[in-house]
Amino acid sequence: MNEVSKNNVFDKSLFGQNFKWGVSTSAYQIEGAHDTGGKGNSIWDKFSEEKGRINNGHHGKITCDFYNRFEDDLKLIKELNIPNFRFSISWSRILPKGIGDVNQEGIDYYNKIIDSCIEKGIEPWITLYHWDLPHELEAKGGWTNRKIIYWFTEYVEICAHAFGDRVKHWMVLNEPMVFTGAGYFLGVHAPGKKGLSNFLPALHHAVLAQAQGIRVLKSIVANAEVGTTISCSHIEPYDSNLRNSLAAKRIDILVNRMFLEPLLGRGYPIIHKKLTAKLNKYILPGDEILMKADFDFIGIQNYTREIVKHSWYTPFLKAKIISADKRSVPITAMNWEIYPESIYNVLKQFGSYAEIKKIIITENGAAFNDTVVDEKVEDFHRKEFLENYLQQVLRARKEGVCVEGYFVWSLLDNFEWSEGFYPRFGIVHVDFETQKRTIKASGAWFKEFLK
Ligand code: BGC
């Protein structure tokens, strides 16, 4: 049964006064201005120039032009009654070469955003790394080079000193399993590298950077609330067959536990002994301690669930994901199953770790083929999606899970990585020809919900 508040509506009051409501974005997906303001190239600038990498040859050179329009977009956030804004810093705006000379124009730009947020009563939440590594660092091996821990430390220190007097909510990495998996194993995201010999060092160095970033922020920023974000999906076996159940367990480790458990001090969970032996080659004495850090919250990013079958053909994992369009289930434009209970299940799973004291849903949302008709976007399916997922968040909260915030992905339709501009995730529609913004029905609903 649907939950309703005293006023007979499903609104924010059901979640309690201190629950954090917000909206999420990331630099490369919205900023544009790819070569303006002293910015260096990132791996996504380079990757989108390579033929065949992005659907329809799209790129993020302009995207939502947030770089020039942030003032108006922040006004929109205010108009929508959204009290918290999550955005990411582009490393190559701050350090065009990744290390060394600091670009003051980059610092000034983010200062303007932060100050404008505060002036409007919007709390800024910063993600330090949302996938746009400076290209010059990739030329030195990027995440496969252990030196990245020092490069990242330098970058985090600069941001902490520059913005930490006003920004108190920080996330170190955005979905490390996605940027290491898609970028260094499958080669479908920047920098387009493939195979275990790239993936395993990238994974281990990202695990170390995740903990290091938390330590650096905690040591520099007074009263900071520091966390990191993890892409999580509820994983289920295809049926009760034992082989399929074991395959689902292995996918669950890879998707949900690989970046979390080392941070908690539990070390790497084991998928397959031989894979662990390969990973161990990159682990130096003392790393187990360095992988752990004292964080304040875990950011959960959930969209869907995955159904898993045993497969002889996938090395070590011996598992395959059955795509949603093969299962006759409702799907979004990303071919992800619409399954609200997924968010409840991952909340229960993450909430069961004693070390986790606070969970924030740092992303949840859906892509649909929205169109503007008579200056309106009637995306009632997105409204329904958000409402149904939120019902499940509330259910978990009522059962005692420490979930204390929810951020919609995303404010604006934007550059959806290798998918280009086709999947629209925004609660605000963007016409990429004219840059006109139109609040969608889902945005109007969220505004009312938050009133
Ligand atoms: C990422 C976003 C992305 C969204 C939808 C998350 O994996 O953090 O950058 O746009 O999901 O795919």
Side-chain angles (χ1 to χ4, degrees), residues 94-145:
I94 304 294
L95 291 152
K97 294 187 180 347
I99 42 173
D101 291 339
V102 175
N103 174 34
Q104 188 56 41
E105 257 189 275
I107 305 258
D108 294 346
Y109 162 65
Y110 290 110
N111 269 332
K112 279 189 252 164
I113 295 181
I114 293 163
D115 290 343
S116 174
C117 280
I118 293 170
E119 214 179 273
K120 296 178 176 55
I122 299 167
E123 186 76 28
W125 291 55
I126 286 183
T127 313
L128 282 164
Y129 185 76
H130 203 126
W131 306 357
D132 45 356
L133 187 72
H135 171 69
E136 296 230 3
L137 297 183
E138 184 52 44
K140 298 181 173 113
W143 286 98
T144 68
N145 187 336

Side-chain angles (χ1 to χ4, degrees), residues 83-368:
N84 296 282
F85 175 44
R86 173 178 173 234
F87 60 97
S88 78
I89 305 273
S90 155
W91 186 340
S92 46
R93 264 192 211 291
I94 304 294
L95 291 152
K97 294 187 180 347
I99 42 173
D101 291 339
V102 175
N103 174 34
Q104 188 56 41
E105 257 189 275
I107 305 258
D108 294 346
Y109 162 65
Y110 290 110
N111 269 332
K112 279 189 252 164
I113 295 181
I114 293 163
D115 290 343
S116 174
C117 280
I118 293 170
E119 214 179 273
K120 296 178 176 55
I122 299 167
E123 186 76 28
W125 291 55
I126 286 183
T127 313
L128 282 164
Y129 185 76
H130 203 126
W131 306 357
D132 45 356
L133 187 72
H135 171 69
E136 296 230 3
L137 297 183
E138 184 52 44
K140 298 181 173 113
W143 286 98
T144 68
N145 187 336
R146 194 175 163 104
K147 286 199 185 124
I148 192 142
I149 300 150
Y150 301 100
W151 305 332
F152 190 62
T153 301
E154 185 180 323
Y155 163 61
V156 179
E157 282 174 355
I158 292 167
C159 293
H161 284 297
F163 313 125
D165 57 334
R166 287 147 297 148
V167 179
K168 298 299 170 192
H169 294 93
W170 295 79
M171 287 138 288
V172 176
L173 300 181
N174 183 74
E175 301 190 350
M177 185 46 80
V178 177
F179 76 75
T180 54
Y184 289 85
F185 183 70
L186 299 172
V188 295
H189 275 193
K193 285 185 172 164
K194 286 187 182 169
L196 280 181
S197 60
N198 285 310
F199 173 63
L200 294 176
L203 175 133
H204 183 53
H205 301 147
V207 162
L208 289 167
Q210 171 178 263
Q212 172 69 356
I214 293 171
R215 278 189 293 272
V216 171
L217 286 165
K218 289 294 245 183
S219 69
I220 299 175
V221 182
N223 309 318
E225 284 253 304
V226 181
T228 195
T229 77
I230 294 186
S231 47
C232 16
S233 293
H234 175 56
I235 309 293
E236 277 180 45
Y238 183 74
D239 57 21
S240 58
N241 177 298
L242 181 62
R243 272 210 191 108
N244 291 337
S245 298
L246 294 174
K249 286 219 166 80
R250 290 189 292 273
I251 293 279
D252 177 53
I253 294 178
L254 184 72
V255 171
N256 295 319
R257 297 172 49 197
M258 213 60 181
F259 276 88
L260 177 69
E261 294 190 5
L263 180 64
L264 306 181
R266 297 179 179 217
Y268 284 112
I270 297 171
I271 293 175
H272 190 294
K273 277 191 190 144
K274 282 190 183 150
L275 189 64
T276 299
K278 282 182 185 287
L279 177 61
N280 282 344
K281 282 201 261 167
Y282 303 98
I283 304 180
L284 300 186
D287 278 4
E288 287 258 333
I289 295 167
L290 295 174
M291 295 180 334
K292 179 181 183 299
D294 289 329
F295 57 90
D296 300 297
F297 68 91
I298 289 292
I300 279 187
Q301 319 209 139
N302 172 259
Y303 292 86
T304 188
R305 73 165 166 176
E306 303 293 358
I307 301 293
V308 174
K309 256 187 180 174
H310 179 271
S311 154
W312 293 112
Y313 303 107
T314 338
F316 306 115
L317 268 180
K318 297 267 178 280
K320 65 174 177 199
I321 287 174
I322 310 298
S323 65
D325 55 355
K326 298 209 176 88
R327 296 189 271 117
S328 314
V329 289
I331 56 173
T332 67
M334 296 291 280
N335 188 14
W336 295 345
E337 181 183 1
I338 300 173
Y339 188 72
E341 247 187 308
S342 173
I343 206 163
Y344 167 81
N345 290 325
V346 293
L347 279 170
K348 291 293 267 193
Q349 181 174 352
F350 278 66
S352 70
Y353 289 93
E355 301 93 327
I356 299 181
K357 302 282 182 288
K358 191 192 281 192
I359 297 172
I360 305 280
I361 309 282
T362 39
E363 281 182 28
N364 173 240
F368 293 107

